[in-house]
Amino acid sequence: MNALAAVERFNMAFDDKDVDAVMAAMTADCVFEDTAPPDGVRHTGQAEVRAAWEKLFASSPEARFTAEEVVEAGDRVVIRWRYDYAGGHVRGVDLFRIRDGLVAEKFAYVKG
């Protein structure tokens, strides 16, 4: 599976807010860095990353990410996105690293 296909699989699960499918699209040693101010919080491994997704999905069940641009470069994918939630929206960028067809890293950055 190429990098773009791996991220598309991850994003479909993410859009469905299906934590089991999201985690199945990530490596055992996955890393997620969220956008919490000032520098984000680093979540490492399946248990920590799962807890971060569960918290995000529970806190904003109506929220939606929309990809505005996607760039693939080898084992990396960059997505420029818009996140719409009940009180408005923000824009940001995700940096993905893919290993063996799974998301190994997802680092999120937001404008603000």
Side-chain angles (χ1 to χ4, degrees):
M1 177 181 299
N2 69 21
L4 186 55
V7 170
E8 288 172 346
R9 174 183 170 210
F10 173 91
N11 281 341
M12 285 191 312
F14 196 90
D15 288 345
D16 290 341
K17 297 178 175 58
D18 182 342
V19 176
D20 289 336
V22 169
M23 297 315 300
M26 300 188 82
T27 62
D29 61 345
C30 57
V31 177
F32 165 53
E33 290 185 359
D34 67 27
T35 63
D39 294 320
V41 174
R42 185 177 181 96
H43 309 274
T44 304
Q46 285 270 325
E48 284 186 25
V49 173
R50 173 182 286 276
W53 298 141
E54 289 171 344
K55 181 178 176 184
L56 175 66
F57 296 153
S59 69
S60 298
E62 75 294 334
R64 285 311 244 185
F65 280 93
T66 303
E68 296 182 321
E69 182 178 12
V70 179
V71 177
E72 180 182 18
D75 68 344
R76 309 260 178 189
V77 175
V78 178
I79 299 180
R80 185 172 51 85
W81 47 258
R82 177 181 165 128
Y83 179 65
D84 289 282
Y85 57 94
H89 76 275
V90 295
R91 284 196 155 88
V93 173
D94 281 347
L95 306 177
F96 288 88
R97 188 171 60 85
I98 306 305
R99 186 176 69 240
D100 299 326
L102 298 171
V103 174
E105 296 175 349
K106 180 183 184 296
F107 298 156
Y109 299 89
V110 68
K111 293 178 80 166

